[in-house]
Amino acid sequence: MPTVPPPDGWVYTQPDKPQIGVWLMPDNQLPGMLEDFVAHLIPSDDSLRPKAEAIVQEIEQLKLNRYTPIHHPKALIHTWLAWQEKPGMPMGQAITAKVLSYNAEIATKFFEWLKRLFELANASA
């Protein structure tokens, strides 16, 4: 296993064994979690994201948040999702419904890693 995660994800192949792969959220380079990855899928011209960020920061400054600082990305993405046409839609459904953009660069890199890992040469997003 590499000491530094490759930017395009890691796939290991050994003869007569299943391939294994590692993708570290959000992008194999930055520390984070799934919600950090999903935040990259919010369209860049979205007008609600700055409002969601402002309200999450406001409740943190007022010490009203009940979550720890490490969970700020979770609070942000779920606040933003709560303000969509179908409030509270799970992240996966939001991608399927095209509320979140699966064409973002980070999503393309992740999909290319999945294709390598599962040997899906002709798959398309």
Side-chain angles (χ1 to χ4, degrees):
M1 188 151 179
T3 56
V4 176
D8 295 326
W10 182 68
V11 175
Y12 179 70
T13 305
Q14 188 175 5
D16 301 321
K17 304 274 181 169
Q19 286 194 136
I20 60 170
V22 175
W23 181 275
L24 299 173
M25 288 294 169
D27 67 350
N28 284 309
Q29 302 300 294
L30 299 172
M33 57 186 71
L34 177 62
E35 287 79 5
D36 292 300
F37 176 88
V38 172
H40 287 283
L41 307 183
I42 296 173
S44 59
D45 61 348
D46 184 84
S47 57
L48 285 177
R49 183 184 177 142
K51 301 287 187 187
E53 184 68 56
I55 196 67
V56 169
Q57 286 179 358
E58 181 182 336
I59 66 163
E60 290 172 357
Q61 289 168 353
L62 294 171
K63 301 200 184 310
L64 297 173
N65 57 301
R66 296 182 181 151
Y67 55 87
T68 59
I70 198 166
H71 290 132
H72 173 93
K74 288 181 181 289
L76 173 62
I77 196 68
H78 292 288
T79 298
W80 184 83
L81 285 168
W83 295 347
Q84 301 307 306
E85 188 174 333
K86 292 184 180 179
M89 190 181 325
M91 293 180 287
Q93 286 181 10
I95 293 169
T96 303
K98 298 183 180 172
V99 173
L100 292 165
S101 173
Y102 59 84
N103 292 325
E105 181 182 346
I106 195 169
T108 301
K109 272 176 99 171
F110 181 68
F111 185 66
E112 290 300 318
W113 170 77
L114 285 172
K115 285 181 6 184
R116 283 188 295 125
L117 178 60
F118 294 107
E119 298 177 337
L120 305 171
N122 296 324
S124 60

